[in-house]
Amino acid sequence: MSSVPNENWAIIENMIKKEGIASHHLNSYNEFLDHGIQDIIDEVGGIDVETTGTPYRVSFGKIFIGEPRSVELDGSTSRILPLETRLRDLAYSAPIHLEMTVEENGIARETQKHHIGDIPIMIRSAKCETSKMAEKQMIEKGEDPLDPGGYFIVNGSERIIVGLEDLSPNKIIVEKDKVGGNIVHRSKIYSSIVGYRAKLELTLKADGAIMVKLPSSPVDLPIVTLIRALGIENDREIASLISNQNQVHNLLEITFEKAVLDRDTHCNVCKVCGLRILEKAKDQTQEEFDKENPDYENCGHDEVCGKLGDCSHKALMYIGNRVAHGMLDEFRIRKAESILDWGLLPHLGKERENRYDKAIFIGEAVCKLLELRMNWINQDDKDHYGNKIVKFAGPMIADLFRTAFRNLIRDMKYQLERTSHRKGSNIVGASIRPGIITDKLANAVATGNWGRGKVGVTQLLDRTNYLSLLSHLRRIQSPLSRTQPNFEARDLHSTHYGRICPSETPEGANCGLVKNIALSSVISVSSSFEDIIDKLTQIGIVPSRDISMEDRSRFCKIFVDGRLIGYTKDENKLVTSFRNMRRQGQIHSHASINLQKYPNKNASTRIHVSLSSGRVLRPLIVVSNGQPLVNHDVVSRTQNGELSWQDLIHMGVVDLLDANEEENALVAIDGTTEFSNEHTHVELFSSSILGAAASLIPYAEHNQSPRNTYQSAMSKQSLGFPTPNYNYNTTVREHLLVYPQNQLVKTRATSLLNIDKRPTGQNCVVAVMSYEGYNIEDAIVMNKSSVQRGLARSFFYRLYDAEAKQYLGGMKDNFEIPKSDENTRGYRGEKYYRLLESDGIIMHESVVSGGDVIIGRTSPPRFMEEYKAFDMTGPYRRDTSIAVRPSEFGVVDSVFMTQNEDGEKLYKIRVRDMRIPEIGDKFASRHGQKGIVGLLVNQEDMPYTESGIVPDIIINPHAFPSRMTVGQFIESIGGKAASFRGTPVDGSTFAGENADDLGNKLKEYGFESSGSEIMYDGKTGKKLKVEIFIGIVYYQKLHHMVADKMHARARGQVQMLTKQPTEGRARGGGLRFGEMERDCLIAYGASMVLKDRLLDESDKTNVNVCDHCGLLAYYDGQQRKYTCKIDGEDAQISSVTIAYAFKLLLQEMMSLNIAPRLLLEDKV
Amino acid sequence: MVKEKLGSLPSRPSVDRCTRCGKGPIVVDSSGGEMNCSNCGYVIVDKIEEEGPEWRAFSKEEKDDRARTGVPSSLAMHDMGLATVIGAEDRDAAGRSLPASMKAAIERLRTWDGRSQVHEPVDRNLRQAFSELDRLADKLNLSDAVIEKAAYIYRKALEKGLVRGRSISALIAASLYAACRDTETPRTLKDVAAACNIKKKDIARCYRLLLREMDLRMPVVDPTKCVSRIASKAGLSEKTKRSALVILHKAEATRTSAGKDPMGLAAAALYVACVMEGESKTQKDVAEAAGVTEVTIRNRYKGLKSALQI
């Protein structure tokens, strides 16, 4: 055995250290800036300006992305860093410049660079300033050197584009489907190019005809018609494009008939040989016909001959009739052609020349469909990770940029044509509106609204602690609806192994749809198509145009990114040489090759080469002739930095496999396997199949699996040390744990993910026993003295901000102390403003509590329209001060004063509150064992061990039997051993220190190996009757604290619409007295209480009702009279007490032309 | 229903004075939901209504779902953003998407609806002007307050009939320039002219017309506001910028700056600052960044020199 499994961690470690934790985001985005954006520009090429005078063309050249910068109100620009954008609510974006040349009559005039808009820059991407900085420089500039980047900053808030799972593009996927009892076979292709995708669907109907659904056609077309429209007229050729198997041809018959039967595309076909029969035009002689159709061979089976070439035309017309019904002939043809060139399989090109390739591709799709029909092959597994890609920022931004750029071009064209009469040197420059691109991009990133119904693409970055940040950056979302079951899609699939974390997924609606990538997974970047074609030609393939009829069915088809490029006779040789070339570095390491062979001999063999970006790869050690190629020497050289993981790939000892290629591999589970010659690979490191959160659970393999899932979710709520630059941080809410500790029982991922530098909890002495019943139902008892010494103490920071807006008519918000004598509406009373300095802003280190004003501000009256003169009551201002939230306390930590993008003054004030653990605060170990504090006990009353150790936390033994979190016991023993040994215990999943060894260690230090100890009751001093299991467990404080939850209301504001008490703690709302509570009171017969809750203390109102008509009456304030609209001023009107909601009901009914009349009686 | 006798009329609480003691001030206690007199403590109003929305939204969709209002109205739209239009969504009342034939019909209706929105020539004029304004503001990176102001000036000018016989583009450019001046946003006539591809002379003519006819009074441009702009264009250091500001403040105190072109003054001050701070920039560099001639810089420079005795 040459490879020791535990050592191989060095390779994973090197991989993540080198690439960074967010490399998939950065690579994807950099790829877009590198060439994706230029491709989109080139696709458009230029603008043809059609004017009445001299038409000209504006052609586009190269694109340039500048440095991130901000444009101030006065028009000056300055370079910015992420920190400043967060503070000033700016966007971290860079200008895009595009070369434009005016060409008149083909003569190019001078080329100018124009600013066409701004693009948000991803933090730590190639264009980001911080990516070029050394660690020291970053610290100087106030940036966190351990910030992994991979997100955007728009309007000062951090937004991340979460990876989006998607079906692989350009891949023929076949499936069986049941439609009303009939089995329908389908073949689907999502053809996509940068920022554009078109779906093509072929259906084998119950009657045996194959129909195709085009993206822009309302009806389905017969497949033969489509292929004919693409320019292939010979039926035999069409059939051979599909397959050369007779059984397949038999299935095709109905489809051909379908196309033939249609009058529009009717072409005569020789019944014997399948050749199309040409008809001679009436006025044509035989000589003329022969001259026109030199290629035409009369098969001799039939006597008729005629004019060639209209079969394709007729098919085009057939399509035209359906997509552009009722238009001119010429237009119909043009429309049909544009659909073929632009809408049909755009990944094969958009030119007329590409039509033959498209026909070949469709032929292959039909072939696969019919092979499925014959049961020669199985239907494709949609949940197989080889059929999926993950889209990160690059493709997503490309999508957006494409539409934005097209909008810009349309606007420019309109402008140029409209102002063509106006001459000037700067016509092009003046016609550009950079805002079209800037706003579209910034808006989409800020809201997550990607257009076309795609919402929630971006999310606010989770900065609760460092781990939650890492986990968020490695998250993947599925576009499937979360309201539908989709059982298969939510299940863990075998191809997830090593790619997707098996534990880390939310519970509930999103379960299995939101996933996290494993530590070992690598997201592919795209590589060059042309290079691969060269390499494959070198290896030897038969191009698809040169292949003979017989070979077509015998040879193996080769696809590169879904495009049929040729055939090979010896598929095994080709695949082997491809892999060898890749291991030699001649082919990009992310390119993958998959040989698809079926047990059925009739089915075609296919080779798929994938170059696309977004495939999830995983590294595996290559096994050659039963020997793993990574040996002790290689690992130790990696460990001491001589070799990087990239070197190992270039050496050909480590492969990156995607799920498709893995289908061809036989992977041994670890180095202890007995290798045979069949083995191709061996796993790199066992626990790297876990994601960021799950790999931090010590001894996770000893836990019941859902506990690891719970823990993965919970660790993201624990308080810790999220960032060292917290003094400059301007996040709305932030928690900071005081004295965070390193874990005594850690995993290998702890230091790799820098959790040891940004810890999220503390090591506590935990005893498992009951204590006076105060820890039943998952409560925990805490040592009050430990708490007083600082255990689990944290700070909570809340940010308040205010800007001075400018209004129409030169009025502005003012920062000042509102004055009582100046007619200020909403004046709160002097005591609330007492802490403000003369500039209207509070001083730092002031002690504040709920309601205290921290930013004094007054605003001009609302709804001051331009034409309206001042209000009758004279000028007044409104108090729009910012006060501390009710029920919160704190000390003003820092005051930031700056200017936002519009040049308006902006204040940000941070209030800090120290949170000492109290009854009701939530805590959890690392094994999904959560609980709230039930009691704080003085140290002297706590139980103690023989050596005088007093637990920090006492948890109830009932927490274990049903949950089976054995990992926590091992951690407890390990923690105890570690604290005596002086070095942390490695508790990595599958690879941690042996539990028995730890027990033996304890024995060495004079403990019982089981971890139990004799303990004494602190109150009585008596020995406890049983031994108590006690050890060190890492505990996390979760951000659910009673201080943020407790709430009560006596009086308060009411809602505007219903006049009922407001809802929710933040608004000082009441507690709902709901329907079931109402039922109780009815059952008790407590009618007075019922009235009190539902009317008197809710929305009681008096309304005026006309005694005669029973409708609502009103009081005319000007005439000081009660009036009824129906019965006039003299009507008898009474006041009635009703619920305001009932008044609304009456009025709403009236709006529906119903007259609800209240029949009144005298009060007795 | 049970009726009660009508009591004494509810007296409308005056916002300004206490209804009981006639003094004030009145204090709003939002947590108790009351307004009371800070003098006598009388509760004038209780159960006051909360101003914010009564719903809570956790996501964008929820927010869109529950909001009952739209975007605020704006002067910079020909209909102030208050018109009713046929929506872009091809869905019926039940939320199903329309059949293809209906889609075409609705599309035609939409076209005609769009056209019929502008039935009066004034509307057409405004529409054209504001689309131009939008573009200009975009290019010049102006804030909403400036755009609203420009739209306001243009509307007033249109009311007075100043637009007739003049080009819309020139007049809207002039309005925008006027708005910039009014809100003290440093943009030169040259900037505006470059952004809209109209001759500076034409815009200036319209601007003067606006000033004259509409009796606009503009605040004097403060040269200090031009400094950072020129400095950033010429690539000068923060230190030079600061010392230029000091020079300008001194110049203002000695009244040397009165009646001079602020851009030229700022440029000259920056040049002086460059010399003082030892930053090597030629007069030409600074002049180009400021958009003035070197001669101007030399003349202002002389003035500053004598005034400040450098």
Side-chain angles (χ1 to χ4, degrees), chain A residues 71-77 411 415 418 422 424 426-427 429-436 447 449 455 806 808 820 823 825-829 862 866-867 902 1051-1057 1059 1062 1067 1096-1098 1104 1107 1115 1122 1133-1138 1142 1158-1163, chain B residues 1-7 9-10 15-16 25-34 47-56 60-61 68 73 75 80 128 131-132 134-135 138-139 141 143-145 148-149 152 155-156 159 169 183 185-187 194-198 225 228-229 232:
Chain A
V71 182
E72 307 298 333
L73 179 72
D74 59 9
S76 64
T77 61
D411 184 74
Q415 265 325 296
R418 203 170 63 89
R422 222 188 280 158
N426 192 22
I427 356 165
S431 68
I432 303 169
R433 254 178 87 178
I436 294 179
T447 61
N449 209 330
V455 287
Q806 213 178 37
L808 198 61
S820 61
N823 202 3
R825 300 245 168 117
Y827 186 74
R828 293 161 206 244
R862 248 190 276 190
E866 31 133 7
Y867 296 105
D902 291 336
R1051 297 161 297 150
Q1053 292 183 316
V1054 294
Q1055 280 174 20
M1056 221 185 315
L1057 184 71
K1059 307 234 164 131
T1062 50
R1067 280 187 289 237
D1096 299 338
E1097 297 302 318
S1098 182
N1104 301 311
D1107 282 13
Y1115 176 66
Y1122 286 98
I1133 289 173
S1134 314
S1135 173
V1136 174
T1137 305
I1138 56 169
F1142 181 56
L1158 302 181
L1159 305 179
L1160 305 184
E1161 278 171 26
D1162 283 318
K1163 197 176 187 183
Chain B
M1 281 301 150
V2 170
K3 62 186 180 183
E4 274 165 44
K5 283 240 172 71
L6 293 176
L9 297 180
V15 194
D16 302 311
I26 287 168
V27 158
V28 179
D29 170 17
S30 56
S31 68
E34 291 169 350
K47 292 191 176 176
I48 54 173
E49 285 160 27
E50 204 206 8
E51 288 182 7
E54 73 277 2
W55 38 266
R56 280 205 296 173
K60 182 86 184 3
E61 298 127 78
R68 294 182 285 258
S73 66
L75 288 178
M80 311 251 234
Q128 205 183 336
S131 89
E132 192 95 346
D134 212 23
R135 179 183 322 282
D138 207 4
K139 295 222 80 159
N141 201 29
S143 70
D144 286 348
E148 289 287 303
K149 184 80 195 174
Y152 176 67
R155 276 172 186 270
K156 279 271 152 91
E159 247 169 53
S169 347
T183 53
T185 312
R187 295 287 181 284
C196 62
N197 203 25
I198 302 175
K225 292 217 164 166
S228 78
R229 194 172 129 95
S232 106

Side-chain angles (χ1 to χ4, degrees), chain A residues 537-603:
Chain A
T537 324
Q538 247 177 58
I539 298 170
I541 55 166
V542 188
S544 47
R545 288 184 192 238
D546 305 345
I547 189 114
S548 67
M549 285 285 188
E550 310 89 71
D551 288 349
R552 237 183 218 180
S553 51
R554 287 188 300 154
F555 280 21
C556 167
K557 298 173 182 171
I558 305 166
F559 296 86
V560 177
D561 266 347
R563 190 187 295 220
L564 180 67
I565 53 135
Y567 294 80
T568 180
K569 195 173 178 183
D570 190 351
E571 60 270 9
N572 291 322
K573 190 183 141 230
L574 183 122
V575 170
T576 318
S577 347
F578 185 95
R579 287 180 184 148
N580 284 337
M581 282 173 93
R582 188 177 60 196
R583 283 170 195 161
Q584 284 155 17
Q586 296 180 47
I587 291 175
H588 195 283
S589 59
H590 289 187
S592 86
I593 189 161
N594 159 247
L595 173 62
Q596 206 174 21
K597 250 185 183 168
Y598 297 91
N600 192 309
K601 272 203 294 289
N602 289 321

Side-chain angles (χ1 to χ4, degrees), chain A residues 1046-1091:
Chain A
M1046 60 177 191
H1047 171 56
R1049 157 172 170 151
R1051 297 161 297 150
Q1053 292 183 316
V1054 294
Q1055 280 174 20
M1056 221 185 315
L1057 184 71
T1058 58
K1059 307 234 164 131
Q1060 289 167 359
T1062 50
E1063 214 179 315
R1065 188 181 110 105
R1067 280 187 289 237
L1071 298 174
R1072 187 179 169 82
F1073 191 83
E1075 212 166 309
M1076 294 170 90
E1077 288 79 3
R1078 181 206 64 145
D1079 295 345
C1080 288
L1081 290 194
I1082 293 172
Y1084 288 135
S1087 54
M1088 292 311 285
V1089 184
L1090 196 66
K1091 179 170 174 275

Side-chain angles (χ1 to χ4, degrees), chain A residues 82 163 238 273 332 420 452 464 570 619 624 740 812 854 898 929:
Chain A
I238 293 176
C273 65
R332 268 182 280 176
S420 60
R452 275 179 282 131
T464 311
D570 190 351
S624 167
K812 272 182 190 166
I854 48 176
T898 181
Q929 293 277 16

